[in-house]
Amino acid sequence: MSEAPDPEVVELATKIFDLARTGETEALVAYVDAGVPANLTNDRGDSLVMLAAYHGHADAVRALLERGAEANYVNDRGQTPLAGAVFKGSDTVIRALLDGGADPTAGMPSAVDTARMFGKAELLDLFGAR
């Protein structure tokens, strides 16, 4: 039988995930620099990078990657931050992820698959997939 999660820990984790979603880079990286794992995930497997990328926060993505977060971390649905950025159409986040080592073929659907699905020829060219 497992113990119930500590409410204070849940509250802190929720705050950190919200910082990633809202792109509050300085506060977010202060927590990571203080010891919060750069690859912290929520109950759906979304990493801090995934949340920052999906919500269009390139500076937060870069800062997390600089602190060891994985650019290709796959969530519970098989999605990567790069595929999320392609879906949302955030060019600055796409560039930040690629600069941080993101693989356009990782995940399901991959960023390449997503670009094809939405007819984004310029991204297929960028990914070398045409």
Side-chain angles (χ1 to χ4, degrees):
M1 185 179 206
S2 65
E3 291 182 37
D6 181 332
E8 290 179 5
V9 172
V10 172
E11 182 180 340
L12 177 60
T14 299
K15 178 179 182 174
I16 294 167
F17 292 128
D18 286 344
L19 292 172
R21 277 187 202 92
T22 58
E24 295 179 52
T25 305
E26 190 174 312
L28 178 61
V29 298
Y31 279 107
V32 173
D33 290 346
V36 168
N39 286 314
L40 183 68
T41 60
N42 64 17
D43 61 336
R44 291 176 300 282
D46 292 326
S47 68
L48 295 172
V49 170
M50 173 65 92
L51 296 172
Y54 191 77
H55 292 280
H57 304 296
D59 290 340
V61 168
R62 278 189 212 92
L64 289 164
L65 295 174
E66 289 168 2
R67 286 162 175 78
E70 293 180 39
N72 296 310
Y73 200 97
V74 177
N75 69 12
D76 294 350
R77 292 174 304 280
Q79 302 161 326
T80 64
L82 186 56
V86 169
F87 175 76
K88 295 296 274 190
S90 179
D91 292 338
T92 57
V93 172
I94 290 167
R95 294 282 181 184
L97 288 163
L98 290 172
D99 291 347
D103 177 358
T105 64
M108 182 71 101
S110 69
V112 169
D113 297 332
T114 305
R116 282 193 180 119
M117 191 180 326
F118 292 102
K120 297 186 178 220
E122 72 284 356
L123 291 179
L124 292 172
D125 290 341
L126 179 64
F127 300 153
R130 278 199 341 160

